[in-house]
Amino acid sequence: MIAYGATAVHNGTLQKFNGSLKEQVWEDNRHSKTHIDNFLMFSPALAVYGLNALGIHGQHNFKDRTMIYLLANVFAQGTVFSVKGWTHELRPDGSDRMSFPSGHTAEAFASAEFMRLEYKDVSPWYGVAGYALATATGALRMYNNAHWFSDVVAGAGVGIASTRLAYWLYPKMQHWFGKKETDERGPVTMLTPTYQNGAVGLSYIKVF
């Protein structure tokens, strides 16, 4: 998915496909924009916490799943804003050159994969629901004329990869920081890499 999006940035055939979809979604059917996508992208992750509150427990306790989700967001948003700065892809509406990849879609699919991995041993339908919400977010980004199709596809790939990387890396980070597993008796502390507005740094996080 990431490779497809990256190829489309300079591939004439894929750019024509982007333009064709824009004509069908926006130019041939002018409509008012919606802001639902600004909230929908977080809904799978919020659902994870809601389900746990209702007693439907996933793979990790509150501390661990929170640290994993934060780590996934660091990877996803760090990648998104780094690549946006390199590519300078013009948005379909011409508002700026921060089109590729879609940050909303990356967040939505990072959240969906988070929901899927937390509940994959409970029922696969939780993952299906999460991915349905994430797909709706990506579709709304094109509906709002804010992103090309390739931006959305690449954003989805970034989000999924970021969450999978967080699930793989988190146990190793626990080991590096001298705590092999967490429980409900004390706070969890972690240093994670951050990237924002061109600045790279470290973030200190403590979850009680």
Side-chain angles (χ1 to χ4, degrees):
M1 297 170 78
I2 297 171
Y4 173 88
T7 301
V9 173
H10 298 294
N11 183 282
T13 301
L14 296 181
Q15 286 183 343
K16 288 180 180 179
F17 182 66
N18 280 341
S20 175
L21 280 179
K22 175 188 173 180
E23 290 179 3
Q24 295 177 45
V25 173
W26 180 258
E27 294 181 359
D28 293 344
N29 298 281
R30 291 293 178 127
H31 50 263
S32 299
K33 295 183 179 182
T34 177
H35 299 291
I36 298 174
D37 47 332
N38 293 329
F39 308 99
L40 195 62
M41 61 180 173
F42 299 111
S43 55
L46 293 176
V48 171
Y49 289 91
L51 288 166
N52 275 273
L54 292 172
I56 306 173
H57 299 294
Q59 183 177 348
H60 293 90
N61 61 34
F62 176 83
K63 297 173 187 176
D64 288 344
R65 68 173 175 269
T66 299
M67 299 308 296
I68 290 170
Y69 182 58
L70 290 173
L71 193 59
N73 272 272
V74 168
F75 293 143
Q77 298 307 317
T79 300
V80 165
F81 286 102
S82 296
V83 176
K84 282 179 182 289
W86 297 336
T87 56
H88 299 288
E89 182 76 359
L90 185 67
R91 291 186 188 271
D93 61 5
S95 59
D96 60 42
R97 288 190 171 273
M98 300 284 285
S99 189
F100 180 84
S102 169
H104 281 67
T105 309
E107 174 62 42
F109 277 85
S111 296
E113 183 66 0
F114 172 61
M115 187 176 189
R116 186 187 74 83
L117 291 176
E118 279 298 304
Y119 284 98
K120 63 186 176 77
D121 295 329
V122 179
S123 171
W125 289 106
Y126 291 110
V128 172
Y131 269 81
L133 293 168
T135 300
T137 301
L140 285 172
R141 297 308 286 161
M142 293 188 293
Y143 179 86
N144 287 336
N145 201 31
H147 281 289
W148 306 102
F149 175 73
S150 55
D151 301 338
V152 170
V153 172
V158 168
I160 294 168
S162 296
T163 299
R164 290 189 181 181
L165 178 59
Y167 270 83
W168 174 81
L169 186 61
Y170 180 65
K172 300 181 184 299
M173 295 184 74
Q174 287 181 301
H175 177 75
W176 296 337
F177 285 95
K179 190 169 185 178
K180 296 181 188 288
E181 61 181 58
T182 61
D183 53 39
E184 300 294 342
R185 294 175 295 178
V188 177
T189 302
M190 179 180 289
L191 289 173
T192 60
T194 62
Y195 181 93
Q196 185 173 7
N197 297 327
V200 178
L202 288 175
S203 175
Y204 176 85
I205 303 171
K206 178 174 284 189
V207 178
F208 293 91

